[in-house]
Amino acid sequence: MTYAFPPGGLPDQSVSPEGTAVFTPAYAVLPALTQRDIVTSYLPSWTGMRMWVLARPMSGFAETFSQYAVELQPAGGSDTPEVDEEVQSVIFVASGQVVVNIDGERHVLEAGGYAYIPVDVVWTIWNDSNVVSQFHWIRKRYVGAEGVDLPEAFVTSDQAVAPTEMPDCDGVWATTRFVEPNDLRHDMHVNIVTFQPGGRIPFAETHVMEHGLYVLQGTADYLLNKDWVPVVAGDFMWLRAFCPQACVATGDEPFRYLLYKDVNRHMPL
C-alpha cells in the first residue's frame, strides 16, 4: 500500500506556471504540484520538521478544521506538539515511522498507522528512525455534548481495519471507518474512502459536513459544485458545507483518499 505526500522540491524554469489549482467560494483544489518547498512552514517547539498547511479555518468558507502534511527528519519531533488543550488530532502516517507517546503509552506507527488523540491528554511525537518520516495531521476543536463521555485515545492502522462496502455497489466503493458512525463521543470522522477502477459516487452528495480530501492513491474525475476536476495522488480538495460532490475512479488502480468531516453535533446558531 502506498500513501501520497507533498513532493516538495521546485520545478525547473522550463515548466509552465499555468496549473490546475482552483479556489472558489464553494471549494478549493491544491494539486500535488503546488505543494513545493517554498510553501512550507515551521512550528515552535519542534525539531527537524517542516509542514505544508493544506487547510485552515476561514470565515465564510470551511471553518471547523486545519490539516497539515508534516515531514520529520531523523531525530525530529516535539514534546509539545499541540498548543491548544481544546483541540483533538488525528495522525496518519504516509511513510517512514513515528513514535507517538499518549499519556505515557508508547506507540510506533509505520506507513498506514493511525492515531486518534483526544483533548486533555499529554502527547509527544518523534522520528526515532534513520530515515525521513511523513504524516498527515488533522486538527479540530472538540465540541462536547451534555451526557456524552469524552472519546478515548486509540491507535490502529489502515491494514488493521476492514473496509465497509457501501450498499448496492458490488464492492467497488468502500469506506475504512476508524470510528463507528453512531459513536456520539466523536464530533469528527477521519476515514479512508476507496473506489476500485470505474467505481463512483452515483449521485451529487450535498450535505452540511465540511470536507478535506487528500488523495492517497490513484486518479479520478471529481465533481466539485458544477465542475468536473481530474485529480491524482497527492492532490488535496477542500469543500465547504453543501458543496455538491461526486467522483468516478479512473485508471487501473484503486482511487483512495483520506477524508475529514465534522459530524454528530448541533449547528451553532
Side-chain angles (χ1 to χ4, degrees), residues 166-224:
M166 303 299 282
D168 303 320
C169 70
D170 295 324
V172 299
W173 176 15
T175 301
T176 303
R177 295 191 173 107
F178 298 99
V179 170
E180 290 298 323
N182 61 356
D183 186 344
L184 296 183
R185 297 175 303 169
H186 290 271
D187 68 340
M188 75 166 178
H189 292 162
V190 179
N191 299 325
I192 295 176
V193 180
T194 301
F195 293 90
Q196 301 304 319
R200 63 187 61 203
I201 299 176
F203 66 103
E205 293 187 28
T206 307
H207 49 62
V208 72
M209 287 84 81
E210 298 177 353
H211 276 341
L213 299 88
Y214 194 93
V215 181
L216 299 172
Q217 179 186 0
T219 64
D221 292 329
Y222 216 96
L223 175 65
L224 299 166

Side-chain angles (χ1 to χ4, degrees), residues 102-124:
I102 305 172
D103 273 349
E105 187 171 349
R106 185 177 185 270
H107 306 275
V108 179
L109 278 65
E110 299 180 338
Y114 182 110
Y116 171 73
I117 305 167
V119 297
D120 200 28
V121 301
V122 175
W123 65 283
T124 68

Side-chain angles (χ1 to χ4, degrees), residues 72-76 95-99 126-133:
L72 286 182
Q73 296 297 317
S95 69
Q97 175 184 288
V98 296
V99 176
W126 290 93
N127 177 9
D128 288 351
S129 74
N130 58 4
V131 298
V132 171
S133 298

